[in-house]
Amino acid sequence: MKKRITLISIVTVLMMSLVLSACSKSSSSSTETQQLGADAGENATEMSFWTFVDLHGKHLDKMLGLWNQQNPDKQIKLNVTVMPYDDMHNKLLLAVTSGKGAPDIADIELGQFPKFLEGDNVPLESLNDVFAPYKDVVVPSRVDIYTKADQVYGFDYHVGATLAFYNTEILEQAGVDYKTIKTWEDYKQAGIKVYEKTGKYLGTADTSATWQASLLLAQQNADFTDENGNPKVNSPEMIKAFEMLVDLQKNNVIHTIPGGQPDTEEAKGEYNKGNYASALMPEWYMSRFVNEMKDLKGKYAIAPLPVFEEGNPRSVGLGGTGTVVTKTGKDVQLAKEFVAFAKLSKEATTEIWNTLGFDPINMEVWKDEAVTKNPDNEYVQYFKTNAFDTLNEIKDEIRAIKSVKASPTIGNVLNTVTLNAIFEDGQDVKEALDEAQAAIEQELK
Amino acid sequence: MIKKFVYSQKVAPYVFVLPFIIIFLIFWSYPLVNSFVMSFQDRMLGQDPKWVGEANYSKLFTDKVFLTAIKNSVVYMLGTLVLLIPFPMLFAVMINSKLMLGREFFKSSFFLPALTSVAVAGTIFRLTFGEMDGSLMNSFLGLFGVEPTKFLKDAEWSMAALLILACWRWTGVNMLYYLSGLKNIDNDYYEAASIDGASAWQKFRSITMPLLKPTTIYVTTISVYAGLAMFTESLMMFNGNNSPKNIGLTIVGYLYRQGIEKNKLGYAAAVGIVLLVIAMIINLTQLKLSGMFKKEED
């Protein structure tokens, strides 16, 4: 009898746990939207937020907690929806331009931003009034990229200063000290050694992103477009940049990577396996290391980028995501105030570093060692060197690449056709860039 | 009165086709006319449209990317015709044969892929044809000492991958069409042929193939359209609409890029109209050549 009762109770417990686990699974997977600030009061305004980066939602969650604490009369509940990059931008563009179905707040990636500013009727709210109090403490170039006709439409998460991330374990095997890499020639010699000693590549030849092209242009004080915003992708500076990269590729210093560039799933797998010894990427790539390349903890050091000649600017702000307020939102003013608080305030910028590991555009934080060197911070723990040591060293050398009307087209042609033609098929650099220029002009006609 | 109306032999057919006609007018004719009008405009959502005459068309015919898209779509369409008509026909004849064992099993296993969503199938094929050493194709070829290949960065390989995906998905469906066609062939023909001493091949050539002609015409017509309108497979296979050197770009992909991604609705409408014209020309020629119109005239 006793046995039977024990058996029945075990079966019951098992069944209950099965049923419960099934419930919890279905409730988490059936909705892709997650509500934040559920503990806010009954009078809280409910808003929606679209993003393509899961981590951005986590940051806003923290900021929402702070905002609701500090503003009991203006509390907010936020419905966060995370979608894939292309999907989100396409849906958002349709929603804001048609005036139906747009969220209150959204993230728009820098390369996509010009599409939202086209024409006379910009479907986004101007943020000038909420920006005014922060005007003096943020990096101006990171606000200009989201500005049209003196109206600011988006606030970024980061400066995105480009840095060099070196795998010191591999470099030591090859007898290379990353601190001695100052110029591209040094980088080339180091890469040759790495390939000879370890059979691994020092860096990547990117075929689906223009990070490398951008940083090499910025180092020559050049751009993809001229002062009128017209494309000039076959400029002498571009040719010099790509010929240098092709030379690196021929010497087995860099090599194409699955996925086409370091910030893809396949490429992170390659890094995790230790097949590439460096990534020359914007500062926000740190968050990819910490969250998606955990095996590499303690192996990577951060340094300034190599340059053509010493004295060239050593960095450029790349990538970026502007958080915007749409015109069709429920309470536009409240949304604007919250976005400014969540992106620009001292609290926000501290959290941007703590949660996201980004270099915030409010530079007050850069000098605050209690924040930047906090030993509990996972970004401080992961890397062999402190990011802000390098960032502060190069902070006056961070150039910008313009994002204009032609930019999405330039990016599309280079990323789909030109980079593949150069690095995969070995097409002549000048020829490939001339073809790209012609294709871009044709597309923009 | 109503009863008389519904029961009237003259009216009934029109009543039955009415839902189709209404749907046709609302969801086909209206958008078609609208697209035609839009193709002469510079139009963006949220902005006022501007008339630009035939500018979109003249730009389109000098647009190399569009020509690439047309080439890809046409090659894909021809590939599906070459692969998805003879083989399903052959399989159907084999499965229909009384000598065949496990007929039901083959029928359902051929048909199963058609029930899989394109998104899932495309993603699986993307991983299968991945460029990493560990992806399925490369590890399989590695067994024979073949170096890893970047399948989805190579035009021929990508097209092959897309065609393999199409075959995997649609062989079963076309086979079912042919099976139903075969059921309509009277067995007497075969018996008579047997008495005359015809071989299996002669029976297939002189009885099966000609009598399956209506099915073949139908399958060709839908395959032409499906081949030219292919989009999702490519989108999933290349993880987006931007494949390296546009090797996976299709006409509908280009329409999507211009209309949805770039908000150039006028230009996208012109792409759509050109697609319609191409599909109509090919299909009408095909129907004319196969004698479909003659029968109606008789």
Side-chain angles (χ1 to χ4, degrees):
Chain A
M1 185 68 194
K2 213 178 172 186
K3 249 187 180 172
R4 209 166 147 193
I5 292 175
T6 325
L7 194 69
I8 290 172
S9 51
I10 289 175
V11 171
T12 319
V13 169
L14 272 175
M15 281 184 65
M16 283 291 284
S17 64
L18 267 179
V19 169
L20 286 176
S21 69
C23 286
S24 65
K25 249 186 203 162
S26 66
S27 61
S28 65
S29 62
S30 62
T31 52
E32 51 178 312
T33 304
Q34 191 195 356
Q35 188 171 66
L36 306 177
D39 52 345
E42 267 181 27
N43 297 328
T45 311
E46 204 170 314
M47 289 188 188
S48 52
F49 169 60
W50 288 3
T51 183
F52 54 96
V53 183
D54 192 30
L55 277 173
H56 292 176
K58 284 187 190 140
H59 168 69
L60 280 206
D61 185 21
K62 287 197 176 169
M63 297 316 296
L64 193 67
L66 278 177
W67 170 269
N68 283 345
Q69 252 176 34
Q70 292 176 16
N71 301 279
D73 54 328
K74 288 196 277 189
Q75 292 199 325
I76 297 173
K77 282 181 188 171
L78 199 63
N79 297 317
V80 178
T81 309
V82 184
M83 284 177 258
Y85 177 89
D86 282 333
D87 270 8
M88 196 219 78
H89 286 101
N90 292 341
K91 276 186 189 155
L92 187 67
L93 187 63
L94 275 181
V96 294
T97 47
S98 66
K100 287 194 185 83
D104 299 80
I105 304 168
D107 274 348
I108 302 176
E109 198 267 331
L110 177 60
Q112 301 280 335
F113 218 89
K115 287 201 253 177
F116 290 80
L117 299 184
E118 268 190 47
D120 304 324
N121 318 315
V122 176
L124 309 173
E125 275 292 322
S126 161
L127 304 172
N128 280 20
D129 52 338
V130 289
F131 173 58
Y134 302 104
K135 215 169 181 173
D136 300 328
V137 288
V138 303
V139 183
S141 67
R142 298 303 291 182
V143 181
D144 294 345
I145 50 182
Y146 303 111
T147 303
K148 183 184 177 187
D150 292 330
Q151 302 295 315
V152 182
Y153 291 103
F155 296 141
D156 209 327
Y157 287 88
H158 57 69
V159 176
T162 317
L163 304 168
F165 299 93
Y166 291 111
N167 185 324
T168 51
E169 199 180 67
I170 299 175
L171 294 186
E172 276 161 20
Q173 280 172 27
V176 171
D177 179 7
Y178 73 89
K179 291 185 197 118
T180 59
I181 301 175
K182 303 280 181 206
T183 64
W184 289 111
E185 185 52 35
D186 299 338
Y187 188 81
K188 179 178 165 182
Q189 295 311 324
I192 291 172
K193 262 193 197 169
V194 169
Y195 187 74
E196 275 173 6
K197 294 269 167 61
T198 65
K200 293 172 176 177
Y201 300 105
L202 181 55
T204 58
D206 297 351
T207 53
S208 67
T210 50
W211 312 121
Q212 291 176 329
S214 306
L215 67 92
L216 292 172
L217 281 180
Q219 291 189 341
Q220 303 174 75
N221 292 313
D223 206 321
F224 292 109
T225 51
D226 63 17
E227 56 279 5
N228 300 320
N230 296 319
K232 47 161 194 173
V233 297
N234 54 352
S235 62
E237 291 88 352
M238 265 299 256
I239 294 170
K240 182 178 173 186
F242 277 98
E243 279 178 346
M244 198 271 291
L245 289 173
V246 168
D247 180 49
L248 292 181
Q249 189 189 25
K250 283 185 180 152
N251 284 288
N252 291 318
V253 174
I254 59 173
H255 192 263
T256 54
I257 190 165
Q261 55 127 337
D263 194 25
T264 58
E265 293 311 311
E266 295 96 325
K268 286 169 207 159
E270 291 291 309
Y271 274 99
N272 251 332
K273 282 191 234 160
N275 290 342
Y276 292 81
S278 77
L280 310 177
M281 287 295 282
E283 194 273 354
W284 48 257
Y285 196 64
M286 284 173 74
S287 68
R288 275 52 164 183
F289 276 111
V290 171
N291 292 293
E292 295 167 73
M293 293 179 265
K294 294 186 198 289
D295 297 353
L296 302 173
K297 186 172 180 180
K299 293 183 184 172
Y300 267 80
I302 300 167
L305 286 179
V307 285
F308 287 97
E309 283 161 35
E310 287 200 51
N312 288 155
R314 286 181 291 175
S315 193
V316 55
L318 289 183
T321 301
T323 306
V324 302
V325 174
T326 63
K327 277 206 162 131
T328 49
K330 275 181 288 294
D331 189 339
V332 169
Q333 194 54 35
L334 179 61
K336 282 162 67 172
E337 285 170 27
F338 173 64
V339 168
F341 172 77
K343 303 297 289 278
L344 304 178
S345 66
K346 177 88 194 287
E347 296 95 319
T349 48
T350 307
E351 280 309 317
I352 283 175
W353 164 243
N354 286 338
T355 316
L356 305 173
F358 292 170
D359 44 351
I361 66 169
N362 181 340
M363 282 184 121
E364 280 180 290
V365 183
W366 288 39
K367 288 170 272 175
D368 188 348
E369 291 204 352
V371 176
T372 60
K373 297 205 168 164
N374 177 3
D376 297 330
N377 181 298
E378 53 182 342
Y379 297 93
V380 172
Q381 290 167 1
Y382 187 99
F383 292 92
K384 290 186 91 166
T385 50
N386 187 284
F388 281 91
D389 288 344
T390 307
L391 284 170
N392 282 316
E393 184 187 334
I394 55 160
K395 72 174 194 295
D396 299 323
E397 300 172 44
I398 307 171
R399 294 289 182 270
I401 287 287
K402 293 197 297 287
S403 188
V404 294
K405 193 179 166 193
S407 302
T409 304
I410 294 174
N412 185 264
V413 171
L414 292 179
N415 294 337
T416 54
V417 182
T418 314
L419 299 179
N420 276 294
I422 293 175
F423 295 118
E424 293 285 357
D425 304 345
Q427 195 187 2
D428 175 65
V429 168
K430 184 162 187 316
E431 195 184 290
L433 292 176
D434 282 343
E435 282 175 17
Q437 177 75 13
I440 293 162
E441 282 172 4
Q442 156 78 19
E443 174 84 42
L444 291 172
K445 243 198 287 182
Chain B
M1 179 66 194
I2 291 174
K3 212 175 173 184
K4 200 181 163 196
F5 180 74
V6 173
Y7 280 87
S8 148
Q9 284 206 350
K10 271 190 186 162
V11 179
Y14 297 100
V15 175
F16 288 130
V17 296
L18 193 64
F20 165 75
I21 292 183
I22 294 174
I23 289 170
F24 180 80
L25 288 176
I26 297 177
F27 293 105
W28 206 82
S29 300
Y30 171 72
L32 181 69
V33 172
N34 219 1
S35 306
F36 192 69
V37 172
M38 249 160 73
S39 70
F40 294 98
Q41 291 175 333
D42 181 4
R43 190 156 173 175
M44 293 172 81
L45 270 181
Q47 315 285 341
D48 297 327
K50 271 183 254 154
W51 287 97
V52 290
E54 46 66 64
N56 285 332
Y57 289 98
S58 51
K59 185 179 165 191
L60 205 54
F61 292 115
T62 53
D63 187 338
K64 280 189 189 152
V65 184
F66 179 59
L67 297 178
T68 309
I70 291 189
K71 195 189 118 214
N72 291 340
S73 286
V74 171
V75 170
Y76 176 81
M77 187 261 297
L78 291 175
T80 54
L81 291 185
V82 169
L83 295 167
L84 281 171
I85 292 176
F87 291 105
M89 190 198 281
L90 209 66
F91 292 144
V93 172
M94 283 162 74
I95 282 180
N96 203 39
S97 158
K98 292 195 177 71
L99 301 170
M100 186 82 187
L101 290 173
R103 291 152 73 178
E104 293 309 313
F105 167 75
F106 280 113
K107 237 189 265 180
S108 46
S109 52
F110 268 119
F111 191 73
L112 208 62
L115 303 174
T116 320
S117 101
V118 195
V120 175
T123 310
I124 292 172
F125 271 72
R126 179 172 82 237
L127 298 173
T128 307
F129 287 94
E131 66 179 274
M132 280 164 295
D133 308 352
S135 64
L136 191 64
M137 260 327 217
N138 274 332
S139 17
F140 175 71
L141 291 174
L143 295 176
F144 305 99
V146 180
E147 285 288 302
T149 309
K150 294 173 184 174
F151 297 104
L152 299 183
K153 281 185 176 168
D154 178 272
E156 279 88 32
W157 270 118
S158 308
M159 188 51 77
L162 283 169
L163 286 171
I164 294 172
L165 173 58
C167 287
W168 177 80
R169 247 176 92 73
W170 297 114
T171 301
V173 178
N174 287 1
M175 201 180 75
L176 278 196
Y177 287 132
Y178 278 113
L179 274 174
S180 63
L182 285 172
K183 299 278 178 223
N184 285 332
I185 302 179
D186 200 330
N187 212 28
D188 291 352
Y189 295 122
Y190 292 106
E191 277 176 18
S194 299
I195 293 166
D196 288 344
S199 68
W201 168 246
Q202 281 172 327
K203 281 190 239 171
F204 177 71
R205 249 201 69 191
S206 306
I207 303 173
T208 314
M209 279 216 339
L211 290 176
L212 279 178
K213 196 175 158 193
T215 316
T216 307
I217 292 172
Y218 174 70
V219 172
T220 311
T221 311
I222 56 168
S223 299
V224 166
Y225 166 71
L228 288 176
M230 188 271 285
F231 167 57
T232 326
E233 283 89 341
S234 160
L235 188 81
M236 285 297 144
M237 186 88 95
F238 293 97
N239 202 13
N241 201 16
N242 296 313
S243 46
K245 286 178 283 164
N246 293 316
I247 50 177
L249 186 70
T250 65
I251 303 180
V252 180
Y254 196 58
L255 189 153
Y256 182 81
R257 185 186 285 177
Q258 293 295 340
I260 307 294
E261 293 176 358
K262 298 195 166 175
N263 196 7
K264 285 185 187 164
L265 294 177
Y267 196 56
V271 174
I273 297 291
V274 171
L275 170 64
L276 179 78
V277 170
I278 295 175
M280 289 295 265
I281 290 175
I282 296 178
N283 267 333
L284 291 176
T285 317
Q286 185 257 129
L287 292 174
K288 174 89 187 148
L289 288 179
S290 58
M292 267 301 273
F293 297 121
K294 254 192 232 157
K295 269 184 196 166
E296 282 172 24
E297 285 159 16
D298 291 343

mmCIF file of all heavy atoms in Angstrom, chain A residues 204 257-273 275-276 285 293, chain B residues 132:
data_model
loop_
_atom_site.group_PDB
_atom_site.id
_atom_site.type_symbol
_atom_site.label_atom_id
_atom_site.label_comp_id
_atom_site.label_asym_id
_atom_site.label_seq_id
_atom_site.Cartn_x
_atom_site.Cartn_y
_atom_site.Cartn_z
ATOM 1 N N THR A 204 40.842 39.691 -41.098
ATOM 2 C CA THR A 204 39.833 39.264 -42.060
ATOM 3 C C THR A 204 39.845 40.170 -43.291
ATOM 4 O O THR A 204 40.211 41.346 -43.199
ATOM 5 C CB THR A 204 38.432 39.353 -41.441
ATOM 6 O OG1 THR A 204 38.206 40.708 -41.029
ATOM 7 C CG2 THR A 204 38.312 38.442 -40.236
ATOM 8 N N ILE A 257 36.350 35.465 -44.474
ATOM 9 C CA ILE A 257 35.844 34.716 -43.318
ATOM 10 C C ILE A 257 34.405 34.285 -43.602
ATOM 11 O O ILE A 257 33.649 35.033 -44.240
ATOM 12 C CB ILE A 257 35.963 35.602 -42.042
ATOM 13 C CG1 ILE A 257 35.675 34.794 -40.780
ATOM 14 C CG2 ILE A 257 35.046 36.811 -42.100
ATOM 15 C CD1 ILE A 257 36.127 35.492 -39.510
ATOM 16 N N PRO A 258 34.020 33.061 -43.203
ATOM 17 C CA PRO A 258 32.610 32.672 -43.382
ATOM 18 C C PRO A 258 31.681 33.717 -42.762
ATOM 19 O O PRO A 258 31.952 34.219 -41.673
ATOM 20 C CB PRO A 258 32.517 31.343 -42.630
ATOM 21 C CG PRO A 258 33.886 30.781 -42.678
ATOM 22 C CD PRO A 258 34.811 31.963 -42.620
ATOM 23 N N GLY A 259 30.638 34.059 -43.468
ATOM 24 C CA GLY A 259 29.747 35.110 -42.991
ATOM 25 C C GLY A 259 30.110 36.452 -43.603
ATOM 26 O O GLY A 259 29.302 37.354 -43.641
ATOM 27 N N GLY A 260 31.366 36.575 -44.053
ATOM 28 C CA GLY A 260 31.761 37.777 -44.788
ATOM 29 C C GLY A 260 32.342 38.915 -43.967
ATOM 30 O O GLY A 260 32.940 39.819 -44.520
ATOM 31 N N GLN A 261 32.182 38.898 -42.649
ATOM 32 C CA GLN A 261 32.727 39.970 -41.800
ATOM 33 C C GLN A 261 32.645 39.516 -40.343
ATOM 34 O O GLN A 261 31.863 38.613 -40.017
ATOM 35 C CB GLN A 261 31.926 41.257 -42.000
ATOM 36 C CG GLN A 261 30.442 41.084 -41.775
ATOM 37 C CD GLN A 261 29.865 42.071 -40.774
ATOM 38 O OE1 GLN A 261 30.574 42.615 -39.935
ATOM 39 N NE2 GLN A 261 28.572 42.282 -40.852
ATOM 40 N N PRO A 262 33.458 40.123 -39.444
ATOM 41 C CA PRO A 262 33.526 39.594 -38.072
ATOM 42 C C PRO A 262 32.192 39.568 -37.310
ATOM 43 O O PRO A 262 31.995 38.698 -36.470
ATOM 44 C CB PRO A 262 34.511 40.546 -37.381
ATOM 45 C CG PRO A 262 35.368 41.056 -38.479
ATOM 46 C CD PRO A 262 34.474 41.171 -39.675
ATOM 47 N N ASP A 263 31.276 40.471 -37.632
ATOM 48 C CA ASP A 263 30.046 40.521 -36.829
ATOM 49 C C ASP A 263 28.941 39.639 -37.413
ATOM 50 O O ASP A 263 27.818 40.088 -37.641
ATOM 51 C CB ASP A 263 29.559 41.970 -36.700
ATOM 52 C CG ASP A 263 28.504 42.109 -35.603
ATOM 53 O OD1 ASP A 263 28.498 41.270 -34.682
ATOM 54 O OD2 ASP A 263 27.692 43.053 -35.676
ATOM 55 N N THR A 264 29.241 38.365 -37.678
ATOM 56 C CA THR A 264 28.213 37.418 -38.110
ATOM 57 C C THR A 264 28.372 36.149 -37.280
ATOM 58 O O THR A 264 29.434 35.906 -36.708
ATOM 59 C CB THR A 264 28.373 37.034 -39.596
ATOM 60 O OG1 THR A 264 29.677 36.464 -39.773
ATOM 61 C CG2 THR A 264 28.228 38.211 -40.522
ATOM 62 N N GLU A 265 27.326 35.336 -37.260
ATOM 63 C CA GLU A 265 27.359 34.100 -36.459
ATOM 64 C C GLU A 265 28.530 33.211 -36.864
ATOM 65 O O GLU A 265 29.271 32.708 -36.023
ATOM 66 C CB GLU A 265 26.061 33.315 -36.665
ATOM 67 C CG GLU A 265 24.827 34.000 -36.103
ATOM 68 C CD GLU A 265 25.028 34.477 -34.694
ATOM 69 O OE1 GLU A 265 25.500 33.680 -33.875
ATOM 70 O OE2 GLU A 265 24.755 35.665 -34.408
ATOM 71 N N GLU A 266 28.667 33.000 -38.201
ATOM 72 C CA GLU A 266 29.703 32.096 -38.693
ATOM 73 C C GLU A 266 31.085 32.607 -38.300
ATOM 74 O O GLU A 266 31.952 31.839 -37.886
ATOM 75 C CB GLU A 266 29.630 31.973 -40.220
ATOM 76 C CG GLU A 266 28.366 31.338 -40.750
ATOM 77 C CD GLU A 266 27.343 32.391 -41.150
ATOM 78 O OE1 GLU A 266 27.274 33.451 -40.476
ATOM 79 O OE2 GLU A 266 26.604 32.174 -42.119
ATOM 80 N N ALA A 267 31.271 33.931 -38.450
ATOM 81 C CA ALA A 267 32.586 34.503 -38.176
ATOM 82 C C ALA A 267 32.936 34.386 -36.692
ATOM 83 O O ALA A 267 34.075 34.073 -36.330
ATOM 84 C CB ALA A 267 32.612 35.959 -38.609
ATOM 85 N N LYS A 268 31.940 34.599 -35.841
ATOM 86 C CA LYS A 268 32.224 34.480 -34.402
ATOM 87 C C LYS A 268 32.648 33.052 -34.064
ATOM 88 O O LYS A 268 33.485 32.835 -33.193
ATOM 89 C CB LYS A 268 30.997 34.912 -33.599
ATOM 90 C CG LYS A 268 30.817 36.422 -33.609
ATOM 91 C CD LYS A 268 29.464 36.796 -33.038
ATOM 92 C CE LYS A 268 28.990 38.119 -33.607
ATOM 93 N NZ LYS A 268 27.546 38.279 -33.495
ATOM 94 N N GLY A 269 32.058 32.091 -34.790
ATOM 95 C CA GLY A 269 32.476 30.693 -34.619
ATOM 96 C C GLY A 269 33.938 30.522 -34.984
ATOM 97 O O GLY A 269 34.697 29.847 -34.280
ATOM 98 N N GLU A 270 34.354 31.167 -36.070
ATOM 99 C CA GLU A 270 35.757 31.083 -36.502
ATOM 100 C C GLU A 270 36.683 31.710 -35.459
ATOM 101 O O GLU A 270 37.754 31.193 -35.171
ATOM 102 C CB GLU A 270 35.944 31.809 -37.841
ATOM 103 C CG GLU A 270 35.281 31.112 -39.015
ATOM 104 C CD GLU A 270 35.956 29.800 -39.376
ATOM 105 O OE1 GLU A 270 37.190 29.792 -39.541
ATOM 106 O OE2 GLU A 270 35.245 28.781 -39.466
ATOM 107 N N TYR A 271 36.265 32.849 -34.915
ATOM 108 C CA TYR A 271 37.074 33.489 -33.866
ATOM 109 C C TYR A 271 37.174 32.581 -32.645
ATOM 110 O O TYR A 271 38.238 32.417 -32.059
ATOM 111 C CB TYR A 271 36.478 34.853 -33.466
ATOM 112 C CG TYR A 271 36.953 35.968 -34.355
ATOM 113 C CD1 TYR A 271 36.184 36.442 -35.397
ATOM 114 C CD2 TYR A 271 38.218 36.539 -34.159
ATOM 115 C CE1 TYR A 271 36.628 37.447 -36.242
ATOM 116 C CE2 TYR A 271 38.678 37.552 -34.990
ATOM 117 C CZ TYR A 271 37.876 38.000 -36.027
ATOM 118 O OH TYR A 271 38.345 38.991 -36.851
ATOM 119 N N ASN A 272 36.038 31.990 -32.282
ATOM 120 C CA ASN A 272 36.026 31.108 -31.120
ATOM 121 C C ASN A 272 36.994 29.939 -31.295
ATOM 122 O O ASN A 272 37.619 29.486 -30.350
ATOM 123 C CB ASN A 272 34.609 30.568 -30.897
ATOM 124 C CG ASN A 272 33.981 31.172 -29.663
ATOM 125 O OD1 ASN A 272 34.688 31.546 -28.725
ATOM 126 N ND2 ASN A 272 32.675 31.277 -29.658
ATOM 127 N N LYS A 273 37.102 29.460 -32.550
ATOM 128 C CA LYS A 273 38.015 28.354 -32.820
ATOM 129 C C LYS A 273 39.459 28.822 -32.848
ATOM 130 O O LYS A 273 40.377 28.005 -32.940
ATOM 131 C CB LYS A 273 37.664 27.733 -34.182
ATOM 132 C CG LYS A 273 36.464 26.814 -34.145
ATOM 133 C CD LYS A 273 36.382 26.045 -35.465
ATOM 134 C CE LYS A 273 35.029 26.219 -36.105
ATOM 135 N NZ LYS A 273 35.016 25.933 -37.535
ATOM 136 N N ASN A 275 40.837 30.802 -35.275
ATOM 137 C CA ASN A 275 41.391 30.791 -36.634
ATOM 138 C C ASN A 275 41.849 32.165 -37.107
ATOM 139 O O ASN A 275 42.518 32.275 -38.123
ATOM 140 C CB ASN A 275 40.366 30.232 -37.620
ATOM 141 C CG ASN A 275 40.149 28.739 -37.408
ATOM 142 O OD1 ASN A 275 40.979 28.087 -36.778
ATOM 143 N ND2 ASN A 275 39.048 28.206 -37.902
ATOM 144 N N TYR A 276 41.434 33.200 -36.404
ATOM 145 C CA TYR A 276 41.832 34.569 -36.760
ATOM 146 C C TYR A 276 42.360 35.239 -35.493
ATOM 147 O O TYR A 276 41.780 35.078 -34.425
ATOM 148 C CB TYR A 276 40.648 35.354 -37.328
ATOM 149 C CG TYR A 276 40.191 34.833 -38.672
ATOM 150 C CD1 TYR A 276 39.360 33.719 -38.760
ATOM 151 C CD2 TYR A 276 40.611 35.438 -39.857
ATOM 152 C CE1 TYR A 276 38.963 33.214 -39.990
ATOM 153 C CE2 TYR A 276 40.221 34.950 -41.092
ATOM 154 C CZ TYR A 276 39.389 33.834 -41.156
ATOM 155 O OH TYR A 276 38.992 33.345 -42.374
ATOM 156 N N TYR A 285 32.027 46.025 -30.601
ATOM 157 C CA TYR A 285 32.293 44.605 -30.864
ATOM 158 C C TYR A 285 32.689 43.892 -29.566
ATOM 159 O O TYR A 285 32.592 42.663 -29.471
ATOM 160 C CB TYR A 285 33.383 44.479 -31.930
ATOM 161 C CG TYR A 285 33.467 43.105 -32.554
ATOM 162 C CD1 TYR A 285 32.411 42.593 -33.299
ATOM 163 C CD2 TYR A 285 34.603 42.312 -32.398
ATOM 164 C CE1 TYR A 285 32.479 41.334 -33.872
ATOM 165 C CE2 TYR A 285 34.676 41.050 -32.967
ATOM 166 C CZ TYR A 285 33.617 40.563 -33.702
ATOM 167 O OH TYR A 285 33.686 39.307 -34.261
ATOM 168 N N MET A 293 31.465 35.093 -27.493
ATOM 169 C CA MET A 293 32.737 34.386 -27.667
ATOM 170 C C MET A 293 33.379 34.177 -26.299
ATOM 171 O O MET A 293 34.501 34.618 -26.040
ATOM 172 C CB MET A 293 33.644 35.189 -28.613
ATOM 173 C CG MET A 293 33.131 35.242 -30.032
ATOM 174 S SD MET A 293 34.170 36.202 -31.133
ATOM 175 C CE MET A 293 33.377 37.796 -31.074
ATOM 176 N N MET B 132 31.642 26.689 -44.311
ATOM 177 C CA MET B 132 32.548 26.172 -43.278
ATOM 178 C C MET B 132 32.901 24.708 -43.537
ATOM 179 O O MET B 132 32.100 23.977 -44.123
ATOM 180 C CB MET B 132 31.897 26.320 -41.913
ATOM 181 C CG MET B 132 32.013 27.725 -41.378
ATOM 182 S SD MET B 132 30.897 28.019 -40.029
ATOM 183 C CE MET B 132 29.336 27.872 -40.818
#
